[in-house]
Amino acid sequence: MQHSLNNIKPRYEYVSSAKLPTLFGLFNIHGFFDTTENQEHVVLTHGQWDANDIVPIRIHSECLTGDSLFSTKCDCGFQLEKALQNIADHGFGAILYLRQEGRGIGLLNKIKAYHLQDQGFDTVEANEHLGFDADLRDYNICKTMLDTLDIVNVELMTNNPKKLRALEDLGINVVTRRAIDHGVTKDNKGYLKVKTNKLGHTFNLDKLK
């Protein structure tokens, strides 16, 4: 039996959009669905842009503890707030918020990793001790998100070169990268050092002295 290619369901689907007033101004929230992983993701956008504009974006992986529970163990919540403020100040931009807790290992495994960190493991060692790679995140859905929102040229707010390479591999024109150093605390200095020394993040270690 022959099957039409037109009947093949795409892996990533746009679902719906709505207004989302925030402390940083009026944003819109756009829902996307990964049909393979059965996972929901969102994009927050602010303002309008033309096809040739360079749009500031951040790819932000979900961090319940940092984004919502105000943990100072990481810099995730600080970076999310900084990115939202940067976009509000610029007048337009987007946050691609991916549901990839704990660099892709999930919330409960992340708590297990935290327990190992309490015993002296660093963040990479803890993930590997649990049987995971140091970073399992997948950025392929970003292409669908950006295409749906008519974003062609981006300024990527990140300290992680892996995100930049991932977008370039997807054919997205990353015009420039903008560092987003923010939120050093007494609790996350070791975490930031590990991200820099083991995961290649471009963080200024002088700030951790």
Side-chain angles (χ1 to χ4, degrees), residues 78-177:
F78 299 113
Q79 289 193 331
L80 179 59
E81 290 185 20
K82 185 67 172 178
L84 288 165
Q85 189 63 62
N86 286 345
I87 288 170
D89 292 344
H90 186 77
F92 60 86
I95 305 285
L96 284 60
Y97 195 90
L98 307 185
R99 308 290 300 280
Q100 302 189 119
E101 186 80 45
R103 298 197 192 106
I105 67 174
L107 178 59
L108 297 184
N109 282 320
K110 176 179 170 180
I111 294 172
K112 292 178 182 179
Y114 275 4
H115 176 69
L116 291 172
Q117 291 168 41
D118 290 340
Q119 299 176 34
F121 289 75
D122 67 34
T123 55
V124 170
E125 293 167 347
N127 278 24
E128 291 175 344
H129 188 78
L130 292 171
F132 301 107
D133 290 339
D135 192 339
L136 293 172
R137 288 175 292 181
D138 184 330
Y139 301 108
N140 287 326
I141 195 172
C142 296
K143 174 65 173 171
T144 298
M145 290 174 162
L146 295 173
D147 286 349
T148 301
L149 297 168
D150 295 322
I151 297 175
V152 177
N153 307 301
V154 305
E155 175 189 64
L156 183 61
M157 291 182 280
T158 188
N159 302 321
N160 185 356
K162 181 179 178 181
K163 291 181 181 178
L164 189 151
R165 290 194 298 270
L167 291 189
E168 291 179 336
D169 288 345
L170 290 169
I172 295 161
N173 184 28
V174 182
V175 178
T176 184
R177 181 188 71 84

